[in-house]
Amino acid sequence: MTTATALFHDLTGAAPHGVWSSPGRVNLIGEHTDYNDGFVFPFAIDHRTSVALGLRDDARIRVVSTFDPVPVEVALADLDTLFPARRDEIVEWARYPLGVAWALLRDADVDAVSGVDLAFASDVPVGAGLSSSAAIEGATASALNDVWQLGRDRVALAQAGRLAENDAVGAPTGIMDQMASMLGRADAAIFLDCRSLEADVVDLGFAAAELELVVIDTGVKHAHSTGGYGERRAACERGAEIMGVAALRDLAPADLARAEELMDDVTFRRVRHVVTEDQRVLDTVETLRREGPRAIGHLLDASHASMRDDFEISVPELDLAVDTARAAGAVGARMTGGGFGGAAIALVDQARVAEVGVAVERAFAAAGFAAPHIFTVRPSEGARRDA
Ligand code: ADP
Ligand code: MG
């Protein structure tokens, strides 16, 4: 595999000034709670995007990636007119790193910073729900923060990544992915309050319990995922309005009886998913602290059932992956990510990882589904300087 340093050398003929990297992430539990001001519990994974950076003696920024080796170059002073209004002039992938530079420079003196060349290489699969987008944003933000001596903290760098993704790329996402990528720690997950942005690093203890986190990427991407996402968001807003609260975060499971009386069945079930999912995140954190990771399996299972039956965002491939993994001995399993396709995760005894994989592959073949991509991920360290 081409490294960021090798790509940088191809581009400039020189060695880089430094190398930074930032990981993708998996959400352990807390789905569709982020835009309801609620709780999520993601962890950074051992797949990273690296950037090799060199300083230039002009005031321009150039980016290149193994993903698309055609370099894109603009003047730093032009970023402000490119984003967000003229973003269509920039090839989509380059909007991520250039958007981060734009976001950081909004609160900095553009004349005080040096021009830069950035070369990216990554082993985060793109579009598999592991947030390759947060990884490239995190690598860019960390590198530029250091060499431009901006002194921003990790939460501010996550916010710059989100601003880039929302306004420079044009993808309306929350801040979970960027926070996980910036704040990750080995064998730990980030308990994030999406309202206050308060983040707690919580030990997972997977290694000591000899557990592995298996990802089953179904490869399914349903055409109606965008429309489905919009419909779910609208239902959540409707539910909050009916209940007279700012966001579903402000409801507790005890409020659900009243919600059921006031709402149509579909809206109620959407609300019930979010309210119970928030509670499951809190319970997962509490259970990990008191009893350790083997005790969280039923919460993962309940999360999946809620997404399947109440939020209705699962697909037959995800249900089969989850059911088969459980039947083959997984401690717990659930779909992860926005739904309508993508990946499932299963918490599995190290000794049973191969068995679970084979069982899922066989079940997919028997059902006539395309072969899934199955691999393990380890909860890992967030953004850092590597060289
Ligand atoms: P996900 O974050 O789930 O992988 P997204 O659609 O949010 O999927 O982000 C994927 C996009 O991010 C890619 O299509 C590409 O534009 C950009 N991207 C991610 N990683 C890289 C990379 N290493 N080099 C260039 N662009 C990348
Ligand atoms: Mg993404």
Side-chain angles (χ1 to χ4, degrees), residues 29 37 52 67 157 179 188 201 211 234 237 252 264 278 320:
I29 194 163
D37 273 6
F67 179 90
L157 297 182
M179 290 289 276
V201 181
L211 290 170
E237 278 164 27
D264 63 276
D278 271 334
L320 184 64

Side-chain angles (χ1 to χ4, degrees), residues 6 21 29 60 75 84 111 134 184 217 277 282 295 308 316 334 340 354 368:
S21 67
I29 194 163
R60 301 178 69 79
D111 296 323
D217 179 8
E277 185 79 351
L282 298 174
R308 183 188 60 209
R334 60 183 284 273
F340 307 103

Side-chain angles (χ1 to χ4, degrees), residues 65 67 93 96 122 125-127 129-133 136 165:
S65 169
F67 179 90
W93 79 264
Y96 290 84
S122 179
V126 170
L130 299 180
S131 204
S132 66
S133 56
I136 190 172
E165 191 146 345

Side-chain angles (χ1 to χ4, degrees), residues 226-252:
T226 313
Y229 181 77
E231 190 275 330
R232 298 310 184 278
R233 278 192 85 134
C236 292
E237 278 164 27
R238 199 162 60 238
E241 203 184 308
I242 291 170
M243 293 298 283
V245 290
L248 293 182
R249 146 71 179 278
D250 299 308
L251 298 180

